[in-house]
Amino acid sequence: MDRLPETTISVQNLHKSFGDLHVLKSIDLDVHRGEVVVLIGSSGSGKTTLLRCLNFLAEYEQGQIHIDEKLMWYCDADCRQKRPTKEIAHDRAAIGMVFQSFNLFPHRTVLENIILGPTKVKPVRVPKPEATEQAMALLDRVGLLEKADAYPNTLSGGQQQRVAIARALAMEPKVMLFDEVTSALDPELVGEVLNVMRQLARDGMTMVVVTHEIHFALDAADKVIFLDQGKIAEQGPPEQVLFHPQSSRLKDFLRRFEEMTLLSWRRAPPGEKARS
Amino acid sequence: MEMGYTNLLYLFDAASKTMMLAIVAIVMSTLVGVIGGVISVLGGRLVEAMVSAAVYVLRGIPILVQLFLVYFGLPFFGIRVSPYTVAIIAISLHMGALVTEVVRGSLLALPKQQSESGLALGMTPLMLMIEVLAPQALRAALPPYVSLIPVTIKATSLASVISIWELTLASKEIANQTLATFEVFGVAFAIYFAICFPFTWLGRRLEQRYTGYWQ
């Protein structure tokens, strides 16, 4: 039997700039098989960019990213010899990604959205009847079996996002990347998406999650990473990072979150309220 | 000063030539436009610049001038083709440039996230075009594309200047013979309008039906 590599994602010395703006500065990160890593940080800290570098939706200038011990992207010194687009596409198929804005294909039904990958994109194509069967099982898993023939625009945001998760899972990815997947949702729809993600984590999926849902980090993450100004400022088990923050930046960041939740708003004494 | 029944039949015959010319020109300009639009989106910066330059040039000169340019230009390089071919080349290139803009515009108008989610699934750019972008762009491109069809049909009338016998040239012939200028061109007007109107109308309808992006 093949030995499965322990480290699914390995990032070494990653640098990324948008023009003059140095967004990621020397990121090192290891994600092990079955691990759930949650990235937190204020906007502009580079967490979404880091996620997009992982499946090379964003090009990076320096550093290496290995997924299952395979180098994702390379170019030589003056970038003449780039990695062929086809190879990148091939490797991306093993990395599922779910976006903030769902991005389902509006001209296809829910079922067609899900089977498109396995039947037409996957390096080893799955025959349509088999793909349909798998898709129905996935829809059952995210609780949307009855929506198979609906078009995306008839679904709520939460439902669309669950379909997007099913679509990514249909490719049987080694890793799932979640980019602020609940940020565009109405508050009452956030729970249904997070529940699907929690179940996925329990099933042993390797996940990298960019989120503002601190509760999710607490009960699903193995590791929480706080990114600040393009660097990993703190990392560790969720309780350690979230309950015992070391740096003042993280303390500030977490305090702002507490202030945002209604509960802590109510709990705060009247004097405190007026101040913020 | 009567144009007479035989001459009317003669005009109808010429109208069928106009239709043939228009059909070939529409097919060719669509090919040019789809290829031009797709490669300018997929082909990278250099290809895009080349396509844009060609479009600017073609859009910047009248079809009539292009017609003369091809008509006298090809023999200059020792290439002999029939006036019919010249007309097809000139009209198809000009209209093809307009179709290119329609195709390119409707592809670029798609949300960037659609490309990203396709790429993230592991699609190659070509797959992405076929499975995700083209089907969606088609819907946006259809109304302006259909509105270009009458323009192509009317452009065929210019072919009369290089002695292609079609509706406009035939009308001129009969008008010269019978001197019933107003009646003859009245009939020509009615025929052109009858051919073009359905497309103008269809373009309008499609526009009303397909407005905006899927929500």
Side-chain angles (χ1 to χ4, degrees), chain A:
Chain A
M1 205 187 94
D2 283 340
R3 188 189 60 89
L4 288 170
E6 267 301 295
T7 312
T8 305
I9 304 176
S10 156
V11 180
Q12 289 142 20
N13 191 29
L14 182 71
H15 287 264
K16 159 89 188 156
S17 305
F18 292 113
D20 288 337
L21 196 65
H22 204 164
V23 192
L24 295 177
K25 299 164 192 159
S26 187
I27 301 281
D28 290 296
L29 168 68
D30 280 335
V31 181
H32 299 281
R33 179 164 305 283
E35 214 173 24
V36 177
V37 172
V38 170
L39 298 174
I40 57 172
S42 46
S43 61
S45 61
K47 51 194 194 309
T48 289
T49 308
L50 173 57
L51 203 66
R52 291 165 60 86
C53 283
L54 290 181
N55 68 351
F56 198 61
L57 277 184
E59 285 190 30
Y60 43 91
E61 295 86 39
Q62 200 189 323
Q64 291 187 324
I65 296 178
H66 288 84
I67 308 271
D68 259 1
E69 297 182 345
K70 205 165 171 192
L71 191 59
M72 264 310 278
W73 161 250
Y74 56 77
C75 64
D76 59 9
D78 44 2
C79 255
R80 289 250 174 78
Q81 192 82 49
K82 288 190 180 184
R83 188 163 186 226
T85 319
K86 262 206 174 135
E87 275 184 35
I88 297 174
H90 182 275
D91 285 353
R92 273 195 196 122
I95 307 169
M97 186 162 191
V98 186
F99 299 84
Q100 182 177 353
S101 48
F102 331 132
N103 306 350
L104 295 175
F105 303 131
H107 58 297
R108 291 170 181 272
T109 64
V110 164
L111 182 64
E112 286 165 351
N113 261 278
I114 299 175
I115 64 171
L116 177 64
T119 55
K120 299 228 169 112
V121 184
K122 215 174 172 194
V124 182
R125 304 275 199 276
V126 180
K128 204 172 164 185
E130 214 181 309
T132 307
E133 209 173 294
Q134 286 167 1
M136 295 311 264
L138 282 170
L139 277 177
D140 194 22
R141 200 161 149 195
V142 299
L144 288 171
L145 204 50
E146 75 284 0
K147 295 291 185 188
D149 296 320
Y151 278 90
N153 60 0
T154 63
L155 304 183
S156 74
Q159 290 170 333
Q160 288 191 49
Q161 197 58 296
R162 284 185 279 157
V163 173
I165 294 175
R167 180 177 69 174
L169 287 175
M171 296 293 283
E172 299 180 316
K174 291 181 254 187
V175 185
M176 285 282 282
L177 310 176
F178 293 86
D179 185 12
E180 298 196 26
V181 293
T182 55
S183 300
L185 296 177
D186 290 336
E188 73 267 26
L189 302 178
V190 169
E192 62 190 63
V193 174
L194 289 183
N195 283 337
V196 169
M197 289 166 67
R198 281 194 188 99
Q199 187 56 51
L200 206 54
R202 274 197 291 272
D203 293 345
M205 175 61 75
T206 311
M207 295 161 65
V208 181
V209 184
V210 169
T211 187
H212 291 299
E213 301 293 330
I214 299 296
H215 290 286
F216 177 80
L218 266 177
D219 57 38
D222 297 300
K223 182 156 82 174
V224 174
I225 292 177
F226 175 61
L227 275 176
D228 184 41
Q229 294 172 329
K231 285 184 188 148
I232 293 182
E234 281 189 48
Q235 59 177 319
E239 291 80 9
Q240 179 200 315
V241 173
L242 299 174
F243 292 152
H244 306 288
Q246 303 298 310
S247 62
S248 60
R249 304 275 307 189
L250 180 53
K251 281 176 192 160
D252 280 352
F253 177 78
L254 291 172
R255 192 173 310 126
R256 257 179 288 141
F257 264 97
E258 266 172 45
E259 281 167 8
M260 260 157 43
T261 61
L262 197 62
L263 267 176
S264 60
W265 178 255
R266 282 218 196 103
R267 241 190 276 125
E272 296 281 302
K273 234 190 272 183
R275 213 182 39 170
S276 59

Side-chain angles (χ1 to χ4, degrees), chain B residues 1 3 171-172 174-176 178-187:
Chain B
M1 301 277 191
M3 66 177 278
S171 308
K172 237 190 282 177
I174 301 173
N176 287 343
T178 63
L179 300 180
T181 318
F182 181 69
E183 289 90 331
V184 173
F185 281 106
V187 172

Side-chain angles (χ1 to χ4, degrees), chain B:
Chain B
M1 301 277 191
E2 283 265 312
M3 66 177 278
Y5 181 64
T6 355
N7 284 336
L8 193 63
L9 284 183
Y10 190 72
L11 282 187
F12 281 134
D13 195 17
S16 74
K17 282 285 182 303
T18 288
M19 296 267 270
M20 294 296 284
L21 198 60
I23 289 170
V24 178
I26 288 164
V27 171
M28 296 296 286
S29 63
T30 306
L31 274 177
V32 170
V34 169
I35 293 171
V38 169
I39 65 168
S40 78
V41 171
L42 281 188
R45 233 174 287 165
L46 184 69
V47 178
E48 196 196 343
M50 277 159 50
V51 173
S52 296
V55 167
Y56 278 128
V57 170
L58 289 168
R59 286 182 67 178
I61 42 179
I63 305 185
L64 193 58
V65 176
Q66 273 172 46
L67 208 58
F68 284 136
L69 214 59
V70 178
Y71 189 62
F72 297 112
L74 286 182
F76 183 80
F77 293 105
I79 304 166
R80 300 227 147 264
V81 288
S82 68
Y84 188 81
T85 314
V86 169
I88 293 294
I89 292 175
I91 296 170
S92 304
L93 279 180
H94 187 96
M95 296 311 297
L98 300 185
V99 178
T100 298
E101 289 291 86
V102 168
V103 172
R104 207 177 74 96
S106 48
L107 283 172
L108 292 180
L110 295 175
K112 222 179 105 207
Q113 289 90 337
Q114 284 291 315
S115 304
E116 284 186 345
S117 65
L119 291 176
L121 267 182
M123 292 184 188
T124 59
L126 188 64
M127 261 186 231
L128 181 72
M129 180 57 75
I130 295 169
E131 301 290 345
V132 179
L133 301 181
Q136 294 184 54
L138 189 65
R139 182 166 140 151
L142 213 52
Y145 170 73
V146 172
S147 307
L148 282 180
I149 289 178
V151 183
T152 314
I153 296 171
K154 288 181 289 176
T156 60
S157 70
L158 295 168
S160 62
V161 300
I162 54 170
S163 69
I164 288 177
W165 185 76
E166 43 67 74
L167 185 53
T168 303
L169 187 62
S171 308
K172 237 190 282 177
E173 276 174 16
I174 301 173
N176 287 343
Q177 280 166 21
T178 63
L179 300 180
T181 318
F182 181 69
E183 289 90 331
V184 173
F185 281 106
V187 172
F189 152 78
I191 295 175
Y192 273 121
F193 182 78
I195 302 173
C196 292
F197 179 71
F199 295 104
T200 321
W201 178 83
L202 183 65
R204 248 320 148 79
R205 276 299 304 272
L206 288 171
E207 214 166 80
Q208 286 163 354
R209 206 169 136 193
Y210 296 146
T211 34
Y213 185 69
W214 278 267
Q215 287 310 305

